Amino acid sequence: MFFQKAIETMPREQIAQLQSHRLVHQARRCFENIPFYRDAFNEKGITPEDIHSIEDIQKLPFTTKQDLRRAYPFKMFGIDRDKVVRIHCSSGTTGIATTVGYTQRDLDDWADCFARVIYAIGGGRHDILQNCFGYGLFTGGLGAHYGGTRAGCVVLPVSVGNTDRQVRLMHDFGTNILCCTPSYALVIADRARAMGYDPVEDFDISMGIMGSEPWSENLRQQIQTSLGIKAADIYGLSEIMGPGVAGECIAQDGLHIAEDHFYAEIVDPKTLAPVPDGHYGELVITTLTKECSPLLRYRTRDITRIIPGQCLCGRTFRRIDRIKGRSDDMLIIRGVNVFPSQIEQVITEMPDVSPFYQIVLTNDGELDRIELQVEPNEDFAFDEVSEIEGLRDKLGAELKKNLGIKVQIRIVEPRTIQRTTGKSHRIIDKRGENL
Amino acid sequence: MIQQLSVFIENTPGRVNALFQGLSEQGINVHAFTIADTKDFGIARLICDTPKKACTKLRDAGFRVSLTDVAAIYVPDRPGGLGKLLKLTDQGAFDIQYAYCFSMPQNNEPYAIDVMRTDNIKGLEDLCVNAGFSIVPAKEIYKLD
Ligand SMILES: [Zn+2]
């Protein structure tokens, strides 16, 4: 099902033409209206006249979260203040929010983008959409709300929390589509069972649109079976636009980028050079149509890749893979990008080791060395050195297969590793220290 | 057949000491101790008087512990005593993963106990009994806890 078939299935050459046309216009808007971009263009020695097509995008400067913080509150607005109809902002961990404004057209485009994802997962007019994303300055709630309205759904603006009521409404109203974070979907499913319902049998719900936190395929399967739904991943970020920048279709094989509004690049987070399709790197987004808060080459810090090839659903928009992690968490070991989440994944799939781990990075003068410390599980039965070695080698082989590099494994005694929920304590980087 | 404690020990200073401290604090008496080690870690194998209790206590103290069944056979404590037993197990084509001895007098006679680990403990014990060896009953070694 398509919400805007002509756009979503546009031939690639036509998409490139449309993007080129819009980029030229957007570069000019940024240069003329936003001092930050005027300075950045000057620093690069370019003017809007140097931008003729989407091919020229690499000439443009990058934009970072820090740039947005410096522009607080409205210095990045690219349009007269009387055209602004909504402001969202993200509470930064550092305390300074990043502010993003919307014109009516920006909101309309956003609603279209979300509505496309509803259609792509099989939803549409008259479906009851229960929206459990939080309403407020956070973009999730209103993004799903206006997206649902645009798609012709009956929107239930319940927001987050009061799970008992969520379950009752879901049952009594016959909700068809659930919008929430993946972890909240599990909470709802658990609560429903505790209240005596079998969500698969007793509920009409058949679709989910979930996002705003990274989730694994395992978690998706769990959600799908416990609620009896098909769940689509949706991507968005407050700096660009809320949910709808990219979203999955019924094929569930990557998220189609709304390429009429956004141009995506994948770059090496260290060198900022583009990486080939299929390779992981940092997602960089240029907003092609946004009027109020246009951003050129915004570094999202999210790590993903472009999935090469055509999707079975018929959409021609390129797809990004599910977000693998944040570039801030990325380790570069012997030139290979490694995420703690990848290591975590391997560890959690090995029943004989406990989920606590520590990574120690060292450098012996030339080569980086990565050591992973793990504890055997309490019920791991062993009596021989070879059994411990076997466990170590099995883990090493799995990691080599998944990460592409050799990881030294040290099986350590229990309680050697600090019990902490934070990621920072799990990685000790001693590279650059004299050992 | 008796039960042996297998304890995972990291190759860092003080760990074996910590293990024995832990055992003595619980009043656990160790009859035999051997360690198989590599560069990074070792497995300490212990025969003690209360294996189940020792296992629980050590786990509580943060050690990784397994209980393993082993065969324990009396061997006369004199030259050639063990040789006869090993010849027998060789002939029986038993795959002995490891073995160690400790001495414990029986009826005022000097006797050694040979501990052997194999996958077929019952078969090994039968073979030994048929050849005139006697098997150490668990109650001789430990309080049946
Ligand atoms: Zn598709």
Side-chain angles (χ1 to χ4, degrees):
Chain A
M1 287 280 280
F2 295 92
F3 179 66
Q4 291 168 313
K5 190 167 185 184
I7 298 170
E8 294 174 74
T9 59
M10 193 183 276
R12 289 301 313 174
E13 317 82 71
Q14 232 175 300
I15 295 173
Q17 269 177 30
L18 180 70
Q19 290 176 327
S20 293
H21 174 76
R22 290 180 166 174
L23 182 69
V24 169
H25 188 252
Q26 192 68 296
R28 181 167 299 282
R29 183 207 309 275
C30 289
F31 181 81
E32 287 173 359
N33 299 344
I34 303 172
F36 165 78
Y37 281 120
R38 196 158 37 243
D39 293 347
F41 275 53
N42 289 338
E43 204 172 301
K44 285 221 140 203
I46 57 163
T47 69
E49 274 72 52
D50 294 313
I51 307 302
H52 306 288
S53 80
I54 199 73
E55 308 284 316
D56 296 321
I57 197 157
Q58 285 176 36
K59 295 178 185 167
L60 294 170
F62 285 98
T63 312
T64 65
K65 178 112 181 162
Q66 190 54 35
D67 296 328
L68 300 188
R69 288 203 191 100
R70 283 199 204 98
Y72 180 84
F74 305 137
K75 292 200 263 309
M76 285 294 242
F77 282 13
I79 202 155
D80 293 339
R81 292 282 289 284
D82 60 0
K83 299 263 181 20
V84 182
V85 298
R86 169 109 57 86
I87 293 169
H88 279 280
C89 56
S90 74
S91 59
T93 40
T94 54
I96 304 164
T98 51
T99 322
V100 176
Y102 295 80
T103 63
Q104 186 54 52
R105 213 191 81 189
D106 290 338
L107 290 181
D108 287 342
D109 291 341
W110 182 9
D112 284 343
C113 288
F114 198 104
R116 288 176 193 169
V117 182
I118 294 175
Y119 272 67
I121 192 73
R125 296 188 70 74
H126 312 305
D127 277 330
I128 298 182
L129 182 149
Q130 186 162 340
N131 183 14
C132 328
F133 280 122
Y135 280 67
L137 288 170
F138 166 64
T139 48
L142 290 178
H145 182 99
Y146 285 97
T149 304
R150 176 62 52 95
C153 297
V154 181
V155 177
L156 226 55
V158 269
S159 195
V160 76
N162 197 345
T163 311
D164 282 16
R165 190 180 61 187
Q166 301 274 9
V167 171
R168 253 190 327 272
L169 296 184
M170 187 176 286
H171 174 262
D172 299 348
F173 291 3
T175 296
N176 307 103
I177 307 169
L178 177 67
C179 290
C180 63
T181 61
S183 48
Y184 196 56
L186 277 186
V187 171
I188 290 178
D190 277 354
R191 192 74 211 124
R193 272 190 298 276
M195 289 166 70
Y197 294 112
D198 173 1
V200 181
E201 290 294 319
D202 304 338
F203 292 3
D204 290 336
I205 185 167
S206 61
M207 291 160 272
I209 297 175
M210 295 167 190
S212 105
E213 64 189 23
W215 49 321
S216 64
E217 186 56 36
N218 285 350
L219 182 56
R220 190 225 296 269
Q221 295 302 336
Q222 217 178 320
I223 292 168
Q224 293 196 146
T225 36
S226 61
L227 286 172
I229 62 171
K230 216 163 160 70
D233 192 3
I234 193 162
Y235 176 75
L237 66 170
S238 64
E239 298 89 333
I240 296 291
M241 187 182 87
V245 173
E248 274 184 329
C249 61
I250 205 87
Q252 294 184 317
D253 185 22
L255 296 81
H256 290 281
I257 307 153
E259 286 198 288
D260 50 339
H261 297 296
F262 306 102
Y263 187 78
E265 298 169 84
I266 307 286
V267 303
D268 182 308
K270 276 273 151 35
T271 65
L272 301 181
V275 303
D277 282 2
H279 288 67
Y280 282 94
E282 181 177 337
L283 175 64
V284 170
I285 296 178
T286 297
T287 67
L288 296 170
T289 50
K290 278 188 80 184
E291 295 178 323
C292 184
S293 295
L295 291 180
L296 302 176
R297 306 189 84 193
Y298 180 70
R299 293 188 56 189
T300 65
R301 302 265 165 202
D302 287 324
I303 300 293
T304 183
R305 64 182 186 121
I306 296 287
I307 298 178
Q310 267 264 12
C311 186
L312 295 172
C313 73
R315 284 176 182 75
T316 47
F317 289 162
R318 291 182 302 161
R319 291 163 295 158
I320 51 170
D321 211 329
R322 66 174 68 236
I323 303 299
K324 188 162 151 185
R326 305 278 297 165
S327 64
D328 312 85
D329 301 333
M330 190 177 77
L331 306 168
I332 301 181
I333 296 154
R334 273 169 261 152
V336 178
N337 301 342
V338 173
F339 291 92
S341 60
Q342 288 172 282
I343 295 175
E344 215 166 295
Q345 173 95 17
V346 172
I347 292 173
T348 52
E349 283 167 6
M350 300 260 304
D352 291 333
V353 293
S354 85
F356 303 101
Y357 66 90
Q358 192 154 59
I359 295 165
V360 182
L361 299 168
T362 50
N363 185 295
D364 62 7
E366 281 173 33
L367 273 184
D368 291 335
R369 286 162 51 93
I370 173 167
E371 181 183 89
L372 171 70
Q373 301 177 354
V374 283
E375 299 170 358
N377 239 333
E378 180 147 343
D379 45 13
F380 173 56
F382 62 90
D383 175 43
E384 292 209 64
V385 164
S386 61
E387 283 161 326
I388 305 268
E389 284 174 341
L391 178 63
R392 186 187 65 192
D393 296 346
K394 197 169 127 204
L395 184 55
E398 275 305 301
L399 286 167
K400 169 94 194 178
K401 200 172 82 192
N402 282 271
L403 310 179
I405 55 162
K406 185 172 161 45
V407 177
Q408 301 272 342
I409 310 232
R410 217 171 97 205
I411 309 274
V412 297
E413 285 181 42
R415 301 186 193 178
T416 308
I417 295 165
Q418 261 187 30
R419 267 36 177 178
T420 159
T421 47
K423 273 200 178 108
S424 54
H425 294 284
R426 297 196 170 159
I427 298 155
I428 300 170
D429 198 341
K430 292 182 177 168
R431 290 178 295 184
E433 281 177 28
N434 288 324
L435 292 172
Chain B
M1 184 173 79
I2 61 173
Q3 285 201 304
Q4 163 199 274
L5 288 176
S6 308
V7 187
F8 174 70
I9 303 256
E10 251 186 279
N11 250 355
T12 47
R15 290 311 292 161
V16 174
N17 186 29
L19 169 65
F20 276 87
Q21 283 298 322
L23 289 166
S24 83
E25 274 162 26
Q26 297 297 331
I28 292 161
N29 186 24
V30 176
H31 296 302
F33 166 71
T34 169
I35 193 160
D37 69 340
T38 68
K39 188 166 68 61
D40 301 317
F41 67 90
I43 292 176
R45 302 193 177 107
L46 302 135
I47 304 288
C48 69
D49 58 353
T50 48
K52 286 207 174 67
K53 175 184 165 193
C55 181
T56 313
K57 293 297 174 190
L58 287 174
R59 276 186 183 160
D60 290 348
F63 285 94
R64 280 290 171 264
V65 191
S66 266
L67 279 172
T68 314
D69 292 333
V70 289
I73 294 136
Y74 282 119
V75 181
D77 198 358
R78 58 172 179 266
L82 180 62
K84 194 180 154 208
L85 176 64
L86 292 180
K87 201 172 154 199
L88 184 68
T89 57
D90 237 23
Q91 284 164 353
F94 278 91
D95 179 21
I96 306 295
Q97 285 142 19
Y98 55 81
Y100 54 94
C101 286
F102 63 103
S103 56
M104 210 180 200
Q106 192 201 23
N107 305 326
N108 295 324
E109 288 280 320
Y111 264 94
I113 294 173
D114 187 39
V115 175
M116 286 188 279
R117 169 69 202 162
T118 177
D119 289 331
N120 181 5
I121 294 173
K122 185 76 181 65
L124 177 68
E125 286 179 343
D126 289 348
L127 180 78
C128 292
V129 169
N130 289 336
F133 285 96
S134 51
I135 307 301
V136 184
K139 65 172 171 16
E140 290 289 317
I141 305 285
Y142 51 77
K143 303 166 193 154
L144 297 171
D145 59 339

